[in-house]
């Protein structure tokens, strides 16, 4: 089975769909968001993704009044959430910029009003974050949009994934294996889960959403069949914010996309053949002809 997002087809031997997760790494700054969109486009990514919250709904009650040190001073966690959230006009501006750079763009809605907000802007898909996999009300709201859904499976059990897919359906869903540690250590990657998910949910395309340092694990995921790869991006991993340390800088993203395309070519089709480049060595080295 394949799933179409924008002009791209995921699964079925089509090229790996590379999602540059900007998330909140724009720190509430439209100009910074545009620079990150440019980074994604210049690297050859296929899409950029953001996060959309209604802070009063999406912020857990026990976190709302917790004080946080920010570049804008000390504020409560709820105030911080408001500070980094884009409004409709800002989303139109960054969405138009992404479209002009040839990228799909969408976001992870963290609550039902955010689904409606993104639908009003005409996103091509919805991404369900690992933290939202158990939010059945949100999943139902996403399902009724009729849009393709990318579902990350970090911090979740197989039973919870089963339940989420029961709500979402399987005809336009892409699963993303993930481990929700920031940054993630290699011993927690467990990328063999890509094959396990593919076997359990036959026909559903399976990709990889990574939070590790470096490129090796994401590239290994492609080599074992991931149809999509999502990585956080930043201009500088030392910037303030919770996701920067687990993000790729511009050169890292460019190398990731480059190496994914090399791996795609190298995987081939599994049909044994003699290549033209082998003919001269064969003539020179093979003593016993066929």
């Amino acid at each position: 089975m394949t799933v179409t997002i924008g002009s791209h087809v995921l699964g079925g031997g089509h090229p790996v769909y590379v999602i540059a997760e900007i998330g909140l790494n724009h720190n509430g700054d439209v100009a910074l968001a545009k620079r990150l969109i440019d980074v994604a486009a210049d690297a050859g990514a296929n899409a950029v993704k953001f996060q959309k919250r209604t802070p009063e709904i999406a912020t857990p009650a026990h976190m709302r009044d917790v004080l946080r040190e920010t570049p804008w001073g000390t504020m409560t966690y709820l105030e911080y959430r408001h500070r980094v959230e884009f409004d409709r006009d800002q989303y139109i501006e960054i969405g138009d910029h992404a479209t002009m750079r040839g990228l799909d763009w969408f976001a992870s809605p963290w609550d039902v009003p955010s689904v409606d907000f993104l639908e009003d802007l005409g996103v091509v898909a919805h991404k369900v974050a690992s933290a939202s996999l158990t939010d059945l009300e949100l999943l139902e709201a996403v399902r009724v949009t009729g849009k393709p859904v990318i579902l990350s499976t970090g911090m979740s059990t197989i039973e919870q994934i089963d339940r989420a897919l029961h709500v979402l359906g399987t005809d336009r869903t892409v699963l993303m294996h993930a481990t929700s540690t920031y940054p993630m250590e290699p011993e927690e990657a467990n990328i063999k889960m890509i094959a396990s998910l593919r076997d359990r949910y036959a026909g559903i395309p399976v990709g990889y959403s990574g939070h590790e340092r470096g490129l090796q694990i994401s590239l290994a995921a492609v080599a074992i069949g991931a149809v999509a790869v999502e990585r956080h991006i930043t201009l500088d991993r030392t910037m303030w914010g919770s996701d920067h340390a687990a993000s790729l800088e511009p050169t890292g993203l460019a190398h990731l996309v480059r190496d994914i395309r090399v791996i795609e070519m190298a995987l081939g089709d599994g049909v044994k053949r003699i290549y033209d480049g082998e003919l001269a060595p064969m003539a020179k080295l093979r003593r016993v002809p066929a």
Side-chain angles (χ1 to χ4, degrees):
M1 188 178 77
T2 61
V3 174
T4 300
I5 297 178
S7 60
H8 301 91
V9 180
L10 283 66
H14 291 273
V16 172
Y17 189 68
V18 181
I19 305 165
E21 158 77 280
I22 294 173
L24 297 178
N25 281 354
H26 52 69
N27 288 351
D29 183 338
V30 169
L32 178 54
K34 287 183 173 181
R35 289 178 66 190
L36 289 167
I37 289 167
D38 290 337
V39 165
D42 292 344
N46 304 115
V48 288
K49 190 188 81 69
F50 298 92
Q51 296 178 19
K52 181 69 185 85
R53 292 171 172 86
T54 306
E56 289 81 6
I57 299 173
T59 307
H62 68 279
M63 290 292 297
R64 291 174 188 169
D65 295 327
V66 174
L67 294 180
R68 181 171 182 143
E69 297 297 327
T70 78
W72 314 284
T74 303
M75 60 181 66
T76 67
Y77 192 66
L78 182 59
E79 290 171 329
Y80 155 70
R81 284 297 183 194
H82 277 287
R83 177 62 181 78
V84 296
E85 199 64 50
F86 286 148
D87 62 23
R88 186 176 188 278
D89 289 342
Q90 290 170 316
Y91 259 110
I92 289 172
E93 186 174 352
I94 61 175
D96 285 350
H97 188 69
T99 300
M100 287 188 295
R101 290 305 315 267
L103 297 168
D104 294 334
W105 81 271
F106 45 91
S108 296
W110 286 66
D111 49 77
V112 173
S114 291
V115 176
D116 297 335
F117 178 95
L118 293 168
E119 277 295 289
D120 182 55
L121 296 175
V123 293
V124 295
H126 292 285
K127 166 71 192 296
V128 176
S130 293
S132 301
L133 182 141
T134 56
D135 187 340
L136 301 186
E137 181 187 23
L138 175 66
L139 299 182
E140 176 64 20
V142 169
R143 184 192 66 79
V144 299
T145 69
K147 297 284 178 64
V149 180
I150 301 171
L151 175 65
S152 274
T153 57
M155 64 177 84
S156 304
T157 66
I158 285 292
E159 292 74 22
Q160 289 168 336
I161 298 170
D162 286 346
R163 190 162 61 243
L165 287 174
H166 181 72
V167 175
L168 286 173
T170 59
D171 57 330
R172 56 180 182 273
T173 300
V174 178
L175 283 175
M176 302 289 273
H177 169 58
T179 300
S180 300
T181 310
Y182 300 83
M184 181 197 69
E185 297 301 327
E187 60 268 24
E188 295 186 341
N190 195 19
I191 57 171
K192 287 185 177 181
M193 271 303 303
I194 293 170
S196 298
L197 291 171
R198 202 164 51 221
D199 290 343
R200 182 176 181 87
Y201 307 110
I204 300 181
V206 178
Y208 173 69
S209 180
H211 308 107
E212 71 272 13
R213 304 176 185 89
L215 308 180
Q216 300 98 322
I217 296 170
S218 293
L219 295 173
V222 172
I224 62 175
V227 304
V229 170
E230 177 185 57
R231 292 293 302 271
H232 287 260
I233 64 169
T234 180
L235 296 182
D236 183 344
R237 285 197 301 271
T238 66
M239 289 177 69
W240 182 89
S242 57
D243 291 339
H244 291 279
S247 301
L248 294 176
E249 293 176 340
T251 299
L253 180 65
H255 288 172
L256 176 70
V257 177
R258 176 200 67 191
D259 292 348
I260 284 174
R261 302 309 174 208
V262 171
I263 291 170
E264 286 175 334
M265 287 189 292
L267 284 171
D269 58 10
V271 177
K272 183 59 179 169
R273 58 175 61 83
I274 297 173
Y275 287 94
D276 290 344
E278 296 180 289
L279 296 177
M282 182 168 61
K284 178 181 178 181
L285 300 172
R286 178 164 284 172
R287 185 176 65 87
V288 180

